[in-house]
Amino acid sequence: GVAIFRTAGGDPVHHMEKAHKDGCIDAALAHSGRFAVSLGARDNLCLWREKSLLSSIRLNQIENHSLALSPDDRLVAVAAGTSEVKVFTIECDRSGVPISLARAFELKGHRSRVNSVSFASNGDTAVTGSKDGSVRIWDVNIRYSVGEEAKCVKEAFHGDEEVKAVALSHDGSVVAALSGRILRVWRFADGEVEQVGEDIPLAPGAFPSRRARSHCLAL
């Protein structure tokens, strides 16, 4: 299981136990603190409130990689071992209490498996990194309820190696990507992407395994 604790006192807030038969590979706490989401290594996406499992959606993938929760606590994006990122919405009751997960839309366009996804702080922009070596920036401020699809607004290439992790700055203007042991940073403005500085080589011991399924990167 996975538990999320209070920083003061160490009391558990959300306890995610026995929901993923193959183990939990990623989890996120809502910015409001009102709920949490967890991703199984091979099975389902779960929504939690304290010790209660509110909703579970089976993804039917061979292996999952990572999830991202939008800062407005509205969307959950899942990199689930395919070239598309599945995005779900958090449905709430009239008082704003989360009650379930529902499919919303997909981020389509990568040519191979997506390993990582991240949101900007406004929740309108997302970034994805793929095994195909590319980083894509997406406009996710869409009316998905009437069938509008997310748009890729820019694509950048990291090189020959797959992109393992991506991150967006709070304002969505800076994108960072990790590929192999190289960290690369771009600035995104007015629809254009420009690399900032030189590639940053990481120490050989920075990561225990190049074959690790999930990596974490933050700005």
PDB file of all heavy atoms in Angstrom, residues 154-182:
ATOM      1  N   LYS A 154       3.580  22.468 -29.914  1.00  0.00           N
ATOM      2  CA  LYS A 154       5.005  22.497 -30.280  1.00  0.00           C
ATOM      3  C   LYS A 154       5.648  21.156 -29.957  1.00  0.00           C
ATOM      4  O   LYS A 154       5.274  20.482 -29.006  1.00  0.00           O
ATOM      5  CB  LYS A 154       5.747  23.616 -29.529  1.00  0.00           C
ATOM      6  CG  LYS A 154       7.010  24.058 -30.230  1.00  0.00           C
ATOM      7  CD  LYS A 154       6.717  24.694 -31.583  1.00  0.00           C
ATOM      8  CE  LYS A 154       7.992  25.094 -32.308  1.00  0.00           C
ATOM      9  NZ  LYS A 154       7.701  25.695 -33.614  1.00  0.00           N
ATOM     10  N   GLU A 155       6.632  20.798 -30.784  1.00  0.00           N
ATOM     11  CA  GLU A 155       7.386  19.562 -30.580  1.00  0.00           C
ATOM     12  C   GLU A 155       8.873  19.886 -30.619  1.00  0.00           C
ATOM     13  O   GLU A 155       9.327  20.673 -31.444  1.00  0.00           O
ATOM     14  CB  GLU A 155       7.044  18.541 -31.662  1.00  0.00           C
ATOM     15  CG  GLU A 155       7.741  17.199 -31.483  1.00  0.00           C
ATOM     16  CD  GLU A 155       7.317  16.191 -32.546  1.00  0.00           C
ATOM     17  OE1 GLU A 155       6.877  16.623 -33.625  1.00  0.00           O
ATOM     18  OE2 GLU A 155       7.447  14.981 -32.289  1.00  0.00           O
ATOM     19  N   ALA A 156       9.613  19.300 -29.712  1.00  0.00           N
ATOM     20  CA  ALA A 156      11.071  19.452 -29.690  1.00  0.00           C
ATOM     21  C   ALA A 156      11.689  18.072 -29.579  1.00  0.00           C
ATOM     22  O   ALA A 156      11.092  17.156 -28.998  1.00  0.00           O
ATOM     23  CB  ALA A 156      11.510  20.321 -28.511  1.00  0.00           C
ATOM     24  N   PHE A 157      12.892  17.909 -30.137  1.00  0.00           N
ATOM     25  CA  PHE A 157      13.556  16.610 -30.101  1.00  0.00           C
ATOM     26  C   PHE A 157      14.766  16.661 -29.185  1.00  0.00           C
ATOM     27  O   PHE A 157      15.557  17.592 -29.224  1.00  0.00           O
ATOM     28  CB  PHE A 157      13.969  16.173 -31.513  1.00  0.00           C
ATOM     29  CG  PHE A 157      12.818  15.698 -32.337  1.00  0.00           C
ATOM     30  CD1 PHE A 157      12.106  16.587 -33.119  1.00  0.00           C
ATOM     31  CD2 PHE A 157      12.406  14.377 -32.292  1.00  0.00           C
ATOM     32  CE1 PHE A 157      11.015  16.160 -33.864  1.00  0.00           C
ATOM     33  CE2 PHE A 157      11.326  13.938 -33.027  1.00  0.00           C
ATOM     34  CZ  PHE A 157      10.627  14.836 -33.815  1.00  0.00           C
ATOM     35  N   HIS A 158      14.855  15.612 -28.368  1.00  0.00           N
ATOM     36  CA  HIS A 158      15.933  15.548 -27.381  1.00  0.00           C
ATOM     37  C   HIS A 158      17.162  14.839 -27.932  1.00  0.00           C
ATOM     38  O   HIS A 158      18.268  15.066 -27.477  1.00  0.00           O
ATOM     39  CB  HIS A 158      15.434  14.819 -26.127  1.00  0.00           C
ATOM     40  CG  HIS A 158      16.242  15.116 -24.898  1.00  0.00           C
ATOM     41  ND1 HIS A 158      17.515  14.664 -24.728  1.00  0.00           N
ATOM     42  CD2 HIS A 158      15.946  15.838 -23.790  1.00  0.00           C
ATOM     43  CE1 HIS A 158      17.979  15.069 -23.550  1.00  0.00           C
ATOM     44  NE2 HIS A 158      17.044  15.782 -22.975  1.00  0.00           N
ATOM     45  N   GLY A 159      16.992  13.983 -28.908  1.00  0.00           N
ATOM     46  CA  GLY A 159      18.116  13.221 -29.450  1.00  0.00           C
ATOM     47  C   GLY A 159      17.694  11.804 -29.770  1.00  0.00           C
ATOM     48  O   GLY A 159      16.518  11.511 -29.941  1.00  0.00           O
ATOM     49  N   ASP A 160      18.686  10.913 -29.835  1.00  0.00           N
ATOM     50  CA  ASP A 160      18.416   9.527 -30.210  1.00  0.00           C
ATOM     51  C   ASP A 160      17.816   8.707 -29.068  1.00  0.00           C
ATOM     52  O   ASP A 160      17.127   7.717 -29.304  1.00  0.00           O
ATOM     53  CB  ASP A 160      19.704   8.853 -30.696  1.00  0.00           C
ATOM     54  CG  ASP A 160      20.233   9.492 -31.969  1.00  0.00           C
ATOM     55  OD1 ASP A 160      19.402  10.026 -32.735  1.00  0.00           O
ATOM     56  OD2 ASP A 160      21.453   9.472 -32.185  1.00  0.00           O
ATOM     57  N   GLU A 161      18.107   9.093 -27.818  1.00  0.00           N
ATOM     58  CA  GLU A 161      17.625   8.307 -26.682  1.00  0.00           C
ATOM     59  C   GLU A 161      16.222   8.732 -26.281  1.00  0.00           C
ATOM     60  O   GLU A 161      15.809   9.877 -26.479  1.00  0.00           O
ATOM     61  CB  GLU A 161      18.569   8.463 -25.490  1.00  0.00           C
ATOM     62  CG  GLU A 161      19.909   7.763 -25.666  1.00  0.00           C
ATOM     63  CD  GLU A 161      20.614   7.591 -24.343  1.00  0.00           C
ATOM     64  OE1 GLU A 161      20.160   6.772 -23.525  1.00  0.00           O
ATOM     65  OE2 GLU A 161      21.612   8.287 -24.118  1.00  0.00           O
ATOM     66  N   GLU A 162      15.499   7.786 -25.679  1.00  0.00           N
ATOM     67  CA  GLU A 162      14.142   8.098 -25.254  1.00  0.00           C
ATOM     68  C   GLU A 162      14.132   9.100 -24.107  1.00  0.00           C
ATOM     69  O   GLU A 162      15.058   9.160 -23.293  1.00  0.00           O
ATOM     70  CB  GLU A 162      13.413   6.833 -24.840  1.00  0.00           C
ATOM     71  CG  GLU A 162      13.960   6.117 -23.624  1.00  0.00           C
ATOM     72  CD  GLU A 162      13.155   4.851 -23.311  1.00  0.00           C
ATOM     73  OE1 GLU A 162      11.977   4.979 -22.929  1.00  0.00           O
ATOM     74  OE2 GLU A 162      13.721   3.752 -23.456  1.00  0.00           O
ATOM     75  N   VAL A 163      13.085   9.907 -24.062  1.00  0.00           N
ATOM     76  CA  VAL A 163      12.903  10.869 -22.981  1.00  0.00           C
ATOM     77  C   VAL A 163      12.252  10.144 -21.806  1.00  0.00           C
ATOM     78  O   VAL A 163      11.164   9.586 -21.932  1.00  0.00           O
ATOM     79  CB  VAL A 163      12.028  12.051 -23.439  1.00  0.00           C
ATOM     80  CG1 VAL A 163      11.787  13.016 -22.277  1.00  0.00           C
ATOM     81  CG2 VAL A 163      12.691  12.773 -24.609  1.00  0.00           C
ATOM     82  N   LYS A 164      12.937  10.153 -20.669  1.00  0.00           N
ATOM     83  CA  LYS A 164      12.458   9.415 -19.495  1.00  0.00           C
ATOM     84  C   LYS A 164      11.567  10.256 -18.584  1.00  0.00           C
ATOM     85  O   LYS A 164      10.682   9.727 -17.919  1.00  0.00           O
ATOM     86  CB  LYS A 164      13.659   8.900 -18.689  1.00  0.00           C
ATOM     87  CG  LYS A 164      14.375   7.716 -19.315  1.00  0.00           C
ATOM     88  CD  LYS A 164      13.532   6.456 -19.205  1.00  0.00           C
ATOM     89  CE  LYS A 164      14.304   5.208 -19.566  1.00  0.00           C
ATOM     90  NZ  LYS A 164      13.475   3.992 -19.426  1.00  0.00           N
ATOM     91  N   ALA A 165      11.819  11.573 -18.519  1.00  0.00           N
ATOM     92  CA  ALA A 165      11.047  12.422 -17.610  1.00  0.00           C
ATOM     93  C   ALA A 165      10.986  13.835 -18.155  1.00  0.00           C
ATOM     94  O   ALA A 165      11.928  14.305 -18.797  1.00  0.00           O
ATOM     95  CB  ALA A 165      11.659  12.416 -16.208  1.00  0.00           C
ATOM     96  N   VAL A 166       9.857  14.508 -17.906  1.00  0.00           N
ATOM     97  CA  VAL A 166       9.681  15.897 -18.315  1.00  0.00           C
ATOM     98  C   VAL A 166       9.082  16.693 -17.163  1.00  0.00           C
ATOM     99  O   VAL A 166       8.456  16.137 -16.258  1.00  0.00           O
ATOM    100  CB  VAL A 166       8.759  16.030 -19.549  1.00  0.00           C
ATOM    101  CG1 VAL A 166       9.419  15.470 -20.790  1.00  0.00           C
ATOM    102  CG2 VAL A 166       7.408  15.356 -19.309  1.00  0.00           C
ATOM    103  N   ALA A 167       9.280  18.017 -17.208  1.00  0.00           N
ATOM    104  CA  ALA A 167       8.691  18.902 -16.208  1.00  0.00           C
ATOM    105  C   ALA A 167       8.446  20.266 -16.833  1.00  0.00           C
ATOM    106  O   ALA A 167       9.185  20.693 -17.723  1.00  0.00           O
ATOM    107  CB  ALA A 167       9.607  19.033 -14.990  1.00  0.00           C
ATOM    108  N   LEU A 168       7.404  20.943 -16.370  1.00  0.00           N
ATOM    109  CA  LEU A 168       7.070  22.293 -16.791  1.00  0.00           C
ATOM    110  C   LEU A 168       7.230  23.238 -15.605  1.00  0.00           C
ATOM    111  O   LEU A 168       6.899  22.876 -14.467  1.00  0.00           O
ATOM    112  CB  LEU A 168       5.619  22.365 -17.264  1.00  0.00           C
ATOM    113  CG  LEU A 168       5.296  22.148 -18.740  1.00  0.00           C
ATOM    114  CD1 LEU A 168       3.784  22.101 -18.916  1.00  0.00           C
ATOM    115  CD2 LEU A 168       5.894  23.243 -19.605  1.00  0.00           C
ATOM    116  N   SER A 169       7.718  24.453 -15.874  1.00  0.00           N
ATOM    117  CA  SER A 169       7.743  25.469 -14.828  1.00  0.00           C
ATOM    118  C   SER A 169       6.321  25.888 -14.493  1.00  0.00           C
ATOM    119  O   SER A 169       5.373  25.592 -15.224  1.00  0.00           O
ATOM    120  CB  SER A 169       8.555  26.687 -15.285  1.00  0.00           C
ATOM    121  OG  SER A 169       7.940  27.294 -16.411  1.00  0.00           O
ATOM    122  N   HIS A 170       6.147  26.607 -13.383  1.00  0.00           N
ATOM    123  CA  HIS A 170       4.798  26.966 -12.928  1.00  0.00           C
ATOM    124  C   HIS A 170       4.034  27.774 -13.967  1.00  0.00           C
ATOM    125  O   HIS A 170       2.818  27.611 -14.115  1.00  0.00           O
ATOM    126  CB  HIS A 170       4.887  27.750 -11.613  1.00  0.00           C
ATOM    127  CG  HIS A 170       5.266  26.907 -10.439  1.00  0.00           C
ATOM    128  ND1 HIS A 170       4.409  25.977  -9.883  1.00  0.00           N
ATOM    129  CD2 HIS A 170       6.414  26.822  -9.728  1.00  0.00           C
ATOM    130  CE1 HIS A 170       5.002  25.363  -8.874  1.00  0.00           C
ATOM    131  NE2 HIS A 170       6.209  25.852  -8.757  1.00  0.00           N
ATOM    132  N   ASP A 171       4.723  28.649 -14.683  1.00  0.00           N
ATOM    133  CA  ASP A 171       4.025  29.476 -15.672  1.00  0.00           C
ATOM    134  C   ASP A 171       3.997  28.832 -17.058  1.00  0.00           C
ATOM    135  O   ASP A 171       3.472  29.413 -18.009  1.00  0.00           O
ATOM    136  CB  ASP A 171       4.662  30.866 -15.761  1.00  0.00           C
ATOM    137  CG  ASP A 171       6.119  30.817 -16.206  1.00  0.00           C
ATOM    138  OD1 ASP A 171       6.652  29.722 -16.462  1.00  0.00           O
ATOM    139  OD2 ASP A 171       6.725  31.907 -16.287  1.00  0.00           O
ATOM    140  N   GLY A 172       4.563  27.621 -17.198  1.00  0.00           N
ATOM    141  CA  GLY A 172       4.542  26.920 -18.470  1.00  0.00           C
ATOM    142  C   GLY A 172       5.525  27.422 -19.494  1.00  0.00           C
ATOM    143  O   GLY A 172       5.502  26.996 -20.647  1.00  0.00           O
ATOM    144  N   SER A 173       6.452  28.305 -19.101  1.00  0.00           N
ATOM    145  CA  SER A 173       7.373  28.911 -20.063  1.00  0.00           C
ATOM    146  C   SER A 173       8.691  28.168 -20.201  1.00  0.00           C
ATOM    147  O   SER A 173       9.448  28.413 -21.138  1.00  0.00           O
ATOM    148  CB  SER A 173       7.664  30.366 -19.675  1.00  0.00           C
ATOM    149  OG  SER A 173       8.377  30.426 -18.446  1.00  0.00           O
ATOM    150  N   VAL A 174       8.989  27.280 -19.259  1.00  0.00           N
ATOM    151  CA  VAL A 174      10.250  26.533 -19.284  1.00  0.00           C
ATOM    152  C   VAL A 174       9.943  25.045 -19.219  1.00  0.00           C
ATOM    153  O   VAL A 174       9.130  24.596 -18.399  1.00  0.00           O
ATOM    154  CB  VAL A 174      11.176  26.938 -18.117  1.00  0.00           C
ATOM    155  CG1 VAL A 174      12.448  26.091 -18.126  1.00  0.00           C
ATOM    156  CG2 VAL A 174      11.529  28.416 -18.204  1.00  0.00           C
ATOM    157  N   VAL A 175      10.567  24.280 -20.111  1.00  0.00           N
ATOM    158  CA  VAL A 175      10.389  22.836 -20.193  1.00  0.00           C
ATOM    159  C   VAL A 175      11.734  22.161 -19.951  1.00  0.00           C
ATOM    160  O   VAL A 175      12.745  22.568 -20.543  1.00  0.00           O
ATOM    161  CB  VAL A 175       9.851  22.419 -21.574  1.00  0.00           C
ATOM    162  CG1 VAL A 175       9.621  20.916 -21.630  1.00  0.00           C
ATOM    163  CG2 VAL A 175       8.586  23.173 -21.917  1.00  0.00           C
ATOM    164  N   ALA A 176      11.773  21.153 -19.104  1.00  0.00           N
ATOM    165  CA  ALA A 176      12.982  20.373 -18.870  1.00  0.00           C
ATOM    166  C   ALA A 176      12.714  18.922 -19.224  1.00  0.00           C
ATOM    167  O   ALA A 176      11.607  18.411 -19.010  1.00  0.00           O
ATOM    168  CB  ALA A 176      13.433  20.482 -17.416  1.00  0.00           C
ATOM    169  N   ALA A 177      13.727  18.256 -19.794  1.00  0.00           N
ATOM    170  CA  ALA A 177      13.574  16.852 -20.175  1.00  0.00           C
ATOM    171  C   ALA A 177      14.841  16.091 -19.853  1.00  0.00           C
ATOM    172  O   ALA A 177      15.954  16.591 -20.045  1.00  0.00           O
ATOM    173  CB  ALA A 177      13.247  16.734 -21.661  1.00  0.00           C
ATOM    174  N   LEU A 178      14.663  14.870 -19.389  1.00  0.00           N
ATOM    175  CA  LEU A 178      15.769  13.981 -19.049  1.00  0.00           C
ATOM    176  C   LEU A 178      15.801  12.832 -20.040  1.00  0.00           C
ATOM    177  O   LEU A 178      14.800  12.156 -20.259  1.00  0.00           O
ATOM    178  CB  LEU A 178      15.587  13.431 -17.638  1.00  0.00           C
ATOM    179  CG  LEU A 178      16.595  12.378 -17.170  1.00  0.00           C
ATOM    180  CD1 LEU A 178      17.976  12.994 -17.007  1.00  0.00           C
ATOM    181  CD2 LEU A 178      16.128  11.749 -15.861  1.00  0.00           C
ATOM    182  N   SER A 179      16.966  12.632 -20.666  1.00  0.00           N
ATOM    183  CA  SER A 179      17.143  11.537 -21.618  1.00  0.00           C
ATOM    184  C   SER A 179      18.501  10.914 -21.360  1.00  0.00           C
ATOM    185  O   SER A 179      19.523  11.596 -21.449  1.00  0.00           O
ATOM    186  CB  SER A 179      17.062  12.066 -23.055  1.00  0.00           C
ATOM    187  OG  SER A 179      17.236  11.022 -23.976  1.00  0.00           O
ATOM    188  N   GLY A 180      18.503   9.610 -21.058  1.00  0.00           N
ATOM    189  CA  GLY A 180      19.764   9.000 -20.677  1.00  0.00           C
ATOM    190  C   GLY A 180      20.289   9.686 -19.430  1.00  0.00           C
ATOM    191  O   GLY A 180      19.614   9.770 -18.417  1.00  0.00           O
ATOM    192  N   ARG A 181      21.493  10.259 -19.530  1.00  0.00           N
ATOM    193  CA  ARG A 181      22.038  11.043 -18.419  1.00  0.00           C
ATOM    194  C   ARG A 181      22.265  12.499 -18.842  1.00  0.00           C
ATOM    195  O   ARG A 181      23.172  13.165 -18.363  1.00  0.00           O
ATOM    196  CB  ARG A 181      23.336  10.403 -17.914  1.00  0.00           C
ATOM    197  CG  ARG A 181      23.106   9.037 -17.254  1.00  0.00           C
ATOM    198  CD  ARG A 181      24.323   8.563 -16.479  1.00  0.00           C
ATOM    199  NE  ARG A 181      24.015   7.348 -15.743  1.00  0.00           N
ATOM    200  CZ  ARG A 181      24.236   6.128 -16.182  1.00  0.00           C
ATOM    201  NH1 ARG A 181      24.751   5.938 -17.378  1.00  0.00           N
ATOM    202  NH2 ARG A 181      23.943   5.079 -15.445  1.00  0.00           N
ATOM    203  N   ILE A 182      21.409  12.970 -19.747  1.00  0.00           N
ATOM    204  CA  ILE A 182      21.475  14.344 -20.214  1.00  0.00           C
ATOM    205  C   ILE A 182      20.178  15.066 -19.856  1.00  0.00           C
ATOM    206  O   ILE A 182      19.081  14.589 -20.138  1.00  0.00           O
ATOM    207  CB  ILE A 182      21.688  14.422 -21.747  1.00  0.00           C
ATOM    208  CG1 ILE A 182      23.040  13.818 -22.133  1.00  0.00           C
ATOM    209  CG2 ILE A 182      21.580  15.855 -22.241  1.00  0.00           C
ATOM    210  CD1 ILE A 182      24.238  14.583 -21.587  1.00  0.00           C
TER     211      ILE A 182
END
